[in-house]
Amino acid sequence: MRFTRQVLLLQIGVVALVVGLGVALVSWLLRSTLTEQYGLRALAIAKSVAADPVVVEGAAARRQGGALEERVQAVTKGNDALFVVITDDHEIRLAHPTPSEVGRKVSTPAEALSGQDVVSAVQSGTLGLSVRSKTPIWQGKRVVGEVSVGFEVATLTGDFNRLLVITLGFAAGALLLGAGASALLNRRLRRVTHGLEPHELTELLYEREAVLHGISEGVLAVDGAQRVSVRNGEAERLLGIDLPVGARVEELELSPRVRKAVEEGQPVDNLLAVAGNRVLVMNSRAVRRDDRALGTVLTFRDRTDLDTLSRELDGIRSLSDGLRAQRHEFANRLHTLSGLLQLGHHAEAEEYLQTLTETASARSLPLGGEAVADPYLQALLVAKSEQALEKGVELKLADDSFVRGSVTDPVAAGTVIGNLVDNALHAARMGPRRPATVEVGLFADGPALHVSVVDSGLGVPAPVRLNLFDEGVSTKLAPGHGLGLALARQAARARGGDVWLADPGGDSSGALFVAKLPDLLVEAAS
């Protein structure tokens, strides 16, 4: 049997049980109340008879029949009672609806002769079962007899049955109403659960937990009200923030691209986003059911390692291109030297060889000479110099650069300096000024490293200056850019520093970017 049907039958059973108990309780109360009412009515009649002077005098004189019998017959007929009986103080009937019973002892205990009223006693006498009340007949302070008045139980039962039929009608209506409400609730339950059984819902819960926490991708789902409804631990790890269920999106520290994807709810495929020091590949889908928007689901993949490998591959490719160019240049020089020797121009060959030696010695010195002592920074500057030479741009180190310490975090330094220099090389190469130049300044302030990069390009356009460091914002026309500056700022801020645009540039010079990296240097060993 389906769970919803079990619930329906259980609810109807509970309603029927409650209604049945209610009817039983009401029936008992009705019976008790009617008995009490008939008893009080009988007591009132008995007291009125006991107060009659004729009855008091007749009871005191123990006079049977006569005036007492007339009183009994009149009262019995006038009140539709079963009987009105008068006895003396020895329990002998003085008046009775049946004349043959006069002079005999009463068939039920004469409790009222003790001076107390008896109310609503259900007793069986000569006239059958009845509800009776008894009261003493007082003559002064002496009890001279009692008056007993009774109503037939059948009369009480008739009134009870009429009231019980009305009660049963209301009970049937309540039962039908409860059954109808249970049916509606059952239908609502089926609609809310889409007809799924409890064990199926449990299996779905287990499957959802297994899928959410068993995959290597981050999953974040928000409902139509922009609240977090589902997320897994991988999403929190990749985004670097807590994602409590029920939190609103605007309360979370999400990057602009992620926030925009959530708020707009438009499909997104393989969009790059920056979260902390990570580069994420994001996909977004809007979820709908029966033309109803349920929210948005986003998935994240970590591309940091892949991006690092890509950068290393670009560095190796740049190095190989530089080596290839040097090989061609070296071959050309050897051919020139060989031609001079074959033609017998030994003096010219010697002079040419001396010139090549001096040039090679000059080029073997690192960029900046002894101003930058850290080997990693020297290697980075040399690699960028080769890259600049290939692009037709002159890379220079500022005259006042001075760094004597050693770098403790080459990755952060490479991310910040490399991205700033790459953007500057592109701006200088695309700019109209010639010669195209890029000047890098490196300054040590205790353990902090200050970096400045200025190029000879046209500067940063005004429309993008305010959000230049947001992922996806770039002055380059080709797609796939807009992450370098965002990564550089994230890397600097992770160390307590920052990267900012000090001068957007203009007609006289290009843009100037400045970075501060605290606690990046340690004092070089002497």
Side-chain angles (χ1 to χ4, degrees):
M1 186 182 295
R2 295 181 62 85
F3 176 74
T4 52
R5 184 167 296 174
Q6 296 179 29
V7 172
L8 176 61
L9 294 179
L10 179 61
Q11 289 173 334
I12 293 178
V14 170
V15 171
L17 178 61
V18 171
V19 170
L21 291 176
V23 169
L25 178 61
V26 170
S27 300
W28 178 77
L29 290 176
L30 281 176
R31 187 81 181 187
S32 299
T33 302
L34 286 174
T35 301
E36 185 72 18
Q37 288 179 350
Y38 272 91
L40 292 176
R41 181 181 175 188
L43 181 62
I45 296 173
K47 283 184 174 295
S48 66
V49 173
D52 190 341
V54 175
V55 173
V56 175
E57 181 182 354
R62 297 174 184 165
R63 190 181 300 115
Q64 301 179 0
L68 294 182
E69 185 68 25
E70 293 177 1
R71 292 284 195 281
V72 165
Q73 296 294 340
V75 172
T76 301
K77 186 175 182 180
N79 291 278
D80 293 329
L82 177 63
F83 62 84
V84 175
V85 176
I86 301 174
T87 66
D88 60 13
D89 55 352
H90 290 88
E91 301 183 8
I92 302 300
R93 299 189 185 99
L94 302 178
H96 192 279
T98 304
S100 61
E101 296 294 332
V102 176
R104 296 182 180 181
K105 190 175 182 178
V106 294
S107 58
T108 58
E111 300 98 330
L113 293 177
S114 62
Q116 301 294 328
D117 292 334
V118 177
V119 184
S120 303
V122 180
Q123 297 174 340
S124 178
T126 57
L127 296 177
L129 188 67
S130 62
V131 178
R132 63 188 66 190
S133 294
K134 302 175 183 181
T135 188
I137 301 174
W138 294 89
Q139 186 181 45
K141 294 183 178 181
R142 184 172 68 91
V143 176
V144 295
E146 73 170 7
V147 178
S148 177
V149 178
F151 287 91
E152 190 177 7
V153 171
T155 304
L156 183 149
T157 303
D159 292 341
F160 170 76
N161 290 338
R162 285 193 298 273
L163 293 175
L164 184 61
V165 169
I166 298 174
T167 302
L168 290 177
F170 280 104
L175 181 61
L176 291 177
L177 182 62
S182 299
L184 292 177
L185 182 61
N186 183 265
R187 182 179 179 184
R188 170 67 178 173
L189 181 61
R190 288 200 306 270
R191 184 166 62 251
V192 170
T193 60
H194 300 287
L196 296 176
E197 294 294 302
H199 69 276
E200 294 175 330
L201 293 175
T202 303
E203 291 175 359
L204 283 178
L205 176 62
Y206 292 157
E207 291 172 1
R208 191 196 77 161
E209 292 299 314
V211 170
L212 280 179
H213 301 287
I215 61 177
S216 59
E217 293 188 356
V219 178
L220 171 62
V222 298
D223 58 18
Q226 302 293 306
R227 291 189 299 263
V228 176
S229 56
V230 176
R231 84 279 185 270
N232 60 359
E234 187 67 10
E236 293 183 329
R237 187 185 72 85
L238 293 178
L239 294 175
I241 59 174
D242 292 332
L243 300 171
V245 174
R248 300 190 66 85
V249 173
E250 58 264 21
E251 299 173 355
L252 303 176
E253 296 180 0
L254 299 175
S255 65
R257 274 192 174 181
V258 178
R259 188 183 301 277
K260 183 178 180 181
V262 173
E263 292 176 350
E264 292 184 354
Q266 299 297 325
V268 173
D269 293 312
N270 300 325
L271 181 65
L272 297 181
V274 176
N277 293 327
R278 299 182 183 276
V279 178
L280 306 179
V281 180
M282 178 177 62
N283 291 275
S284 173
R285 291 291 183 274
V287 181
R288 305 185 67 87
R289 181 180 176 87
D290 300 331
D291 296 331
R292 176 189 173 192
L294 300 181
T296 305
V297 177
L298 296 92
T299 59
F300 306 94
R301 297 195 307 273
D302 193 354
R303 194 187 157 183
T304 304
D305 296 338
L306 180 61
D307 189 68
T308 302
L309 292 175
S310 299
R311 291 180 180 275
E312 293 180 358
L313 181 60
D314 290 340
I316 294 174
R317 185 181 294 111
S318 299
L319 181 59
S320 64
D321 291 341
L323 292 176
R324 188 181 301 110
Q326 290 180 1
R327 182 176 63 83
H328 284 295
E329 182 181 1
F330 185 70
N332 292 333
R333 291 174 179 178
L334 286 181
H335 291 159
T336 302
L337 183 60
S338 175
L340 290 174
L341 292 175
Q342 289 178 7
L343 295 175
H345 301 295
H346 299 286
E348 287 80 357
E350 182 179 357
E351 182 180 357
Y352 182 67
L353 185 59
Q354 184 178 1
T355 301
L356 292 179
T357 303
E358 294 175 353
T359 303
S361 299
R363 293 188 58 182
S364 64
L365 294 175
L367 184 64
E370 298 181 354
V372 179
D374 181 73
Y376 180 81
L377 293 179
Q378 290 181 356
L380 180 61
L381 291 174
V382 170
K384 293 302 179 182
S385 297
E386 294 293 338
Q387 186 178 354
L389 184 62
E390 182 182 352
K391 294 182 178 182
V393 180
E394 180 184 1
L395 179 64
K396 301 183 297 182
L397 187 67
D399 296 337
D400 53 352
S401 295
F402 187 79
V403 178
R404 300 303 299 168
S406 300
V407 173
T408 59
D409 190 353
V411 176
T415 300
V416 175
I417 300 175
N419 280 299
L420 293 180
V421 172
D422 288 343
N423 286 343
L425 292 177
H426 176 80
R429 184 170 65 90
M430 301 302 295
R433 299 187 181 93
R434 293 295 179 271
T437 60
V438 172
E439 183 178 272
V440 180
L442 300 175
F443 315 96
D445 181 13
L449 176 65
H450 295 265
V451 182
S452 67
V453 179
V454 62
D455 59 71
S456 62
L458 291 177
V460 179
V464 298
R465 292 175 185 174
L466 294 178
N467 56 348
L468 184 61
F469 290 92
D470 294 343
E471 66 264 45
V473 178
S474 176
T475 58
K476 300 174 184 178
L477 299 179
H481 298 284
L483 294 177
L485 289 178
L487 282 173
R489 171 171 277 186
Q490 291 282 4
R493 288 183 172 179
R495 300 188 59 86
D498 203 354
V499 178
W500 64 93
L501 177 64
D503 186 357
D507 296 334
S508 58
S509 64
L512 171 62
F513 286 88
V514 177
K516 178 182 179 181
L517 301 173
D519 299 325
L520 187 70
L521 302 174
V522 293
E523 186 177 353
S526 57

